[in-house]
Amino acid sequence: MSEKLNLPLRPRRNRKSESVRGLVRETVLTPADLIYPLFLHDEPQNDPIASMPGCHRWSLEGLVGEVGEAWNAGVRAVVFFPKIADFLKTPRGEECHNPDGLIPRAVRAVKSAYPGITVITDIALDPYNSDGHDGVVERMPDGDLKILNDETVAILCRQALCHAEAGADIVSPSDMMDGRVGEIRAALDEAGYEEVSILSYTAKYASAYYGPFRGALDSAPKAGDKKTYQMDPTNRREALREAELDVAEGADMIMVKPAGPYLDIIRTLRDAFDLPIAAYQVSGEYLMIKSAAKDGWIDEEKVAMESLIGIKRAGADMILTYFAKDIAGKLSK
Ligand code: PBG
């Protein structure tokens, strides 16, 4: 038996050096793909978030500083999540459209310091609502909770207008109420904000991976769960249906969330639609990497990078990730 195989086809030739691997590389991650989610509160200090190591609830000043660091690392888009004081939470979440509320102030502060950065705001009631739900809750006589769709959509429109007025570039409804994209689009256009984009959480699943986020904002539902509005993790065709509606209603970009456990959904929407697709690597995905890396079991940076490449390879054009600043910094070097 000769030692040489008669093997004209040798895929390894395309992997023989870093420069050849560079030539044939199919998926490239750049800082321009990343969206950095940031938490803030109306307090003077920056508090580390226990459930999300490396993340903080920023003061307004701290937020501007962190956005500056992210900008210097190459990040060009941020999204804000507020922790609202308990005394401001009400059943209808009126604080969500207070023009002097935390988010409008943050948008103004960040846009005036970094006019070139894209500011995205989250549209949903959960941080503002005393029931901790994304919509208005009605308590039925049998004790069941009903999340009121149409009443909620009207409030979300006011929230979107308030954020647009403050200077948000993109509003991003994460509430999963039916018909909200169309209503928000109409409200924005009517008020002259036709340049404000809508990034819709199109396929947002009722996921246990949101746990650390709810801890960060103290925004977990007080009773019940989110299964009557967020999608059942078992469903794929339903994501196509949600996407058809969001596209018809005028979404500019559509999102899949969580990202890592839903790569097939990203790919499904990529193949079926032309719109840009965002994927949200959520708090639980982040925390799993962080905790496994803490004791050196895995290499945090390499695993984070690989997880993001996987999400991009599945078809995402942009990724919301708590690793954004660190990874952008790495990629810019
Ligand atoms: C709520 C909202 C959630 C997240 C973003 N917006 C939590 C939820 O739906 O309960 C989760 C993000 C994360 O886990 O990182 N509108």
Side-chain angles (χ1 to χ4, degrees), residues 124 126 134 174 204 210 213-214 226 230 257 282-283 322:
D126 52 323
D134 291 25
S174 69
K204 177 172 179 180
Y210 307 149
F213 173 99
R214 293 178 189 170
K226 299 193 174 187
Q230 299 181 349
K257 177 183 176 187
V282 300
S283 55
Y322 302 99

Side-chain angles (χ1 to χ4, degrees), residues 39 52 81 122-127 134 174-175 201 204-205 209-214 219 221 226 229-230 257 280-284 322:
F39 300 101
M52 298 179 66
F81 295 101
D122 194 68
I123 304 297
L125 296 189
D126 52 323
D134 291 25
S174 69
D175 56 287
Y201 285 67
K204 177 172 179 180
Y205 287 88
Y209 285 86
Y210 307 149
F213 173 99
R214 293 178 189 170
S219 66
K226 299 193 174 187
Y229 45 106
Q230 299 181 349
K257 177 183 176 187
Y280 198 146
Q281 182 179 57
V282 300
S283 55
Y322 302 99

